[in-house]
Amino acid sequence: MAALLAIPLGPHADSRTAVGSVVIDLTPGPVKEWAIQTFGTNDKLFLTVAVLVVIAVIAMVTAQFEDRKLGSIALGLAGVLGGAAVLSRTGARPVDVIPSLVGAAAGIAVLRLLVADRVRPPAPEPGADTDPGRRRSLAALGFLAAGTLAGVIGTVLGRAASSAAGDRNAYTPPAPKVPGPPIPPEVQPADVDLAPFITPTADFYRIDTALSVPQVQRQDWRLRIHGMVDREVTFRFDELAQFEAIDKVVTLTCVSNPVGGNLISNATWTGYRVRDLLARAGVHSDADMVLSKSIDGFTAGTPVEALTDNRDALLAVAMNGEPLPTEHGYPARLVVPGLYGYVSATKWLVDLELTRFDRAEAYWTKLGWSAHGPIKTESRIDVPRAGSGVPMGTATFGGVAWAQNRGVRAVEVRIDDGPWRPATLGAAYSNDTWRLWSYTWQADQPGRHTITVRATDGTGALQTSEVADVIPDGATGWHSVSFTVA
């Protein structure tokens, strides 16, 4: 019932999403990191299922004590807490608590109905079913089916009512006045099955705190720039056309990416230079941080320098030639080369506040991550896979290396405890993208072997062998893979 009542009020009235979002916000940083490492991009599905299971267990346990009104008290408390969760979300209105409260009241009424004959057994009638437990079970199954159906219908209709899919499909991204350099075919090493240089949009990793993907129409979108500026400015979406649109190929990396992990992808982004927008507001010389905010309240703290230097940080509106997917920030998001996403890649962007690192903290820095998040030099082995078999003869291995904003100068490979050997690099596109590599090896010794990789960045600095966890500012270490020659 609550899901159906929330439809006319909008997504802010969805107590399930609100409760799940509060759980995410209150979860300690290390636990969040465990969920990402364990479930990857399925972390939100796990949380949703876990919340529903916990609610169901609490309801079943407390219902056993309804003769003392514990079940009704628990449901009433759940309604109040659900309403409080709704009101805690950015953009919520007092009226948005109605579905939570009505849903709790309906739950109490159903519970009282189901246990009525247990509390006050009715006098049996001739020919009537004298098994009250059976009647309660059938009634409970009926209410459960009706509640599930209402929840499914409410979810489907609610998402359809608020969806930005139609708005996105009607949008034609701007033609870049500064197109990116063409991508030479030599970026892709031959004779080895590696990830494509440009990651297909459907395969691009997604890690964020949004339990329900925000749906924002272009006509409703605003970007406010304020704080330590000469003048506060607000841009509507159609006003962005006054700025020069550019294409830029940028590799994004999540700080939660472990050594050898896949939370990294490369795409062509189309958008507007953030420095052009900030120039309209006039940034104060003592401002050193931009606190960016998503429409759902998420924040990231980015060094002003990274948004105003020649790396061309973008307010991106398109990805791989198409409008941004809603799950990747439609209609506009930040793309900042050289920084981990937790300090730079704000999706569904609506606010830029010029401030200082000694005055403000962003979402992840409050939970223990470092305030500055420059991407570290790393490399990964994609071929062979761990535990795989390699036939005897000539074998070609390969993978990727990255050091955004510095570029990759060299990649070296070591088999077992042998000497380091240079790998063959695919063509370098830019310092802001990953670089693919390959290595040919003569597999003439049967048995178990290990391949290890390391990279050297464009400054000549060698990737560190020191093993470090992803907290507080990104994992380090050399990636190794064991395989068998047979």
Side-chain angles (χ1 to χ4, degrees):
M1 178 178 291
L4 292 173
L5 289 175
I7 294 175
L9 295 176
H12 287 114
D14 186 346
S15 58
R16 296 165 301 173
T17 299
V19 170
S21 298
V22 169
V23 171
I24 290 176
D25 291 347
L26 296 178
T27 300
V31 178
K32 284 188 175 77
E33 189 57 46
W34 170 83
I36 293 173
Q37 296 298 332
T38 304
F39 302 102
T41 55
N42 294 315
D43 57 338
K44 298 172 187 63
L45 175 61
F46 166 76
L47 174 62
T48 300
V49 172
V51 169
L52 293 176
V53 169
V54 169
I55 292 174
V57 170
I58 292 175
M60 287 189 295
V61 171
T62 56
Q64 303 304 311
F65 304 95
E66 181 55 18
D67 52 343
R68 287 180 281 176
K69 305 295 189 296
L70 290 183
S72 295
I73 292 172
L75 289 174
L77 182 60
V80 172
L81 293 177
V86 167
L87 290 177
S88 72
R89 311 318 297 166
T90 301
R93 306 157 299 173
V95 71
D96 292 332
V97 305
I98 292 176
S100 300
L101 300 180
V102 173
I108 293 172
V110 169
L111 178 60
R112 299 303 299 155
L113 179 64
L114 290 174
V115 302
D117 59 351
R118 191 180 70 182
V119 177
R120 294 183 300 274
E125 298 179 4
D129 185 357
T130 58
D131 184 357
R134 179 174 178 273
R135 290 199 304 271
R136 283 197 300 271
S137 297
L138 292 175
L141 287 174
F143 283 121
L144 177 62
T148 302
L149 180 61
V152 171
I153 293 175
T155 299
V156 172
L157 294 181
R159 289 180 177 176
S162 63
S163 175
D167 186 72
R168 176 184 178 273
N169 293 337
Y171 175 54
T172 300
K177 294 182 181 179
V178 182
I183 299 173
E186 293 79 17
V187 299
Q188 199 79 30
D191 303 323
V192 59
D193 185 18
L194 298 180
F197 180 74
I198 296 294
T199 307
T201 301
D203 297 334
F204 204 98
Y205 82 92
R206 178 198 164 199
I207 296 291
D208 53 55
T209 63
L211 188 60
S212 178
V213 176
Q215 305 290 320
V216 186
Q217 310 280 339
R218 279 173 290 143
Q219 65 180 7
D220 299 326
W221 182 86
R222 303 288 186 275
L223 177 61
R224 180 189 178 209
I225 303 177
H226 63 107
M228 299 174 67
V229 296
D230 296 335
R231 67 199 69 84
E232 181 176 320
V233 295
T234 299
F235 294 105
R236 297 174 180 269
F237 194 86
D238 57 6
E239 293 174 333
L240 297 176
Q242 64 187 288
F243 298 101
E244 184 177 66
I246 68 171
D247 270 350
K248 192 169 180 66
V249 182
V250 179
T251 299
L252 297 186
T253 310
C254 181
V255 73
S256 295
N257 196 39
V259 173
N262 59 3
L263 298 180
I264 176 172
S265 302
N266 189 44
T268 301
W269 308 92
T270 304
Y272 308 94
R273 297 182 184 91
V274 177
R275 68 170 181 261
D276 293 344
L277 279 69
L278 294 179
R280 291 292 179 89
V283 178
H284 290 180
S285 60
D286 55 341
D288 64 4
M289 190 250 271
V290 175
L291 188 69
S292 57
K293 180 181 291 186
S294 167
I295 196 169
D296 65 352
F298 171 83
T299 56
T302 309
V304 168
E305 179 184 8
L307 296 175
T308 55
D309 62 15
N310 61 5
R311 76 185 69 192
D312 286 341
L314 291 181
L315 176 69
V317 296
M319 178 181 183
N320 291 337
E322 299 289 336
L324 284 174
T326 52
E327 63 269 23
H328 286 290
Y330 180 84
R333 63 167 293 168
L334 283 181
V335 172
V336 184
L339 299 179
Y340 287 117
Y342 81 103
V343 298
S344 68
T346 303
K347 303 171 185 175
W348 313 287
L349 181 70
V350 294
D351 192 278
L352 296 175
E353 179 186 358
L354 277 297
T355 181
R356 293 184 55 81
F357 282 103
D358 57 9
R359 298 179 187 174
E361 282 189 304
Y363 183 92
W364 285 106
T365 52
K366 292 178 181 178
L367 296 174
W369 273 256
S370 64
H372 299 76
I375 294 174
K376 299 177 180 179
T377 301
E378 277 295 321
S379 52
R380 186 182 75 196
I381 301 163
D382 291 340
V383 179
R385 296 293 183 184
S388 64
V390 174
M392 294 189 67
T394 302
T396 302
F397 303 143
V400 295
W402 58 92
Q404 288 92 310
N405 212 32
R406 302 179 303 282
V408 173
R409 177 183 297 182
V411 170
E412 297 172 289
V413 168
R414 180 176 66 190
I415 304 295
D416 299 325
D417 294 323
W420 289 99
R421 302 292 187 185
T424 300
L425 294 176
Y429 180 78
S430 80
N431 287 346
D432 297 325
T433 61
W434 59 14
R435 199 164 181 185
L436 280 60
W437 60 269
S438 65
Y439 179 74
T440 301
W441 180 63
Q442 196 64 31
D444 54 8
Q445 298 181 12
R448 189 175 180 84
H449 297 275
T450 299
I451 178 175
T452 305
V453 65
R454 68 184 185 185
T456 300
D457 71 18
T459 71
L462 181 66
Q463 174 185 341
T464 180
S465 61
E466 182 179 349
V467 176
D469 192 13
V470 296
I471 302 173
D473 58 1
T476 61
W478 292 341
H479 187 211
S480 295
V481 167
S482 295
F483 61 96
T484 301
V485 173

